[in-house]
Amino acid sequence: MNAPCLLYDPECPMCLRFKQAIERVPFDQEITYRPINDQDLVSDFPFLSKEDYHKEVHLVIEKDPPKVLVGAEVIEYLAKHNPQVKKLAWLLDTKVGEKASEVFYQSLNKIRQSLQNHCPKCKKKE
């Protein structure tokens, strides 16, 4: 694995749009993408829990030793590696910036969970 790998749910409209938006954004390094329903995911990333990556966004930075970012950490990482946002990345390193990033992610995750609760496709997966 040479590039960070973003895990996404291809059956969740919000997750799919997030992935599509990220694909259009320039980063100072390549990002790869893997759907969480990929049969090889468990064998490729044995250090991840299937239950966990169904709940929150995960970005695998390194496989050996494993380094995985979850939730708001993914947003911060992506922001710091975008050349346009990098100039303001120092804001994320403050307590206020960290809290803002966390609140932003938590709000998005609540919306995603709400969508899953009302989506017939998502309910069938559980």
Side-chain angles (χ1 to χ4, degrees), residues 26-29 31 76-86 89:
F27 291 101
D28 60 8
Q29 58 186 223
I31 306 284
E76 289 178 37
Y77 180 90
L78 293 173
K80 288 179 180 179
H81 287 276
N82 174 293
Q84 297 156 340
V85 178
K86 197 184 262 190

Side-chain angles (χ1 to χ4, degrees), residues 20-68:
Q20 290 168 341
I22 295 299
E23 286 178 313
R24 291 187 209 115
V25 174
F27 291 101
D28 60 8
Q29 58 186 223
E30 183 184 348
I31 306 284
T32 60
Y33 305 90
R34 293 279 298 272
I36 60 173
N37 59 2
D38 180 343
Q39 298 299 320
D40 295 329
L41 200 61
V42 174
S43 61
D44 290 345
F45 301 119
F47 48 87
L48 293 176
S49 161
K50 189 174 184 176
E51 293 78 31
D52 288 343
Y53 60 70
H54 271 77
K55 290 180 185 174
E56 291 191 86
V57 65
H58 283 63
L59 183 70
V60 179
I61 304 295
E62 295 175 20
K63 269 180 89 169
D64 192 26
K67 183 174 181 185
V68 182

Side-chain angles (χ1 to χ4, degrees), residues 103-120:
V103 168
F104 175 73
Y105 174 76
Q106 287 174 350
S107 298
L108 286 177
N109 206 37
K110 282 182 185 177
I111 293 168
R112 185 185 65 79
Q113 288 170 351
S114 176
L115 285 172
Q116 284 180 336
N117 291 336
H118 294 90
C119 172

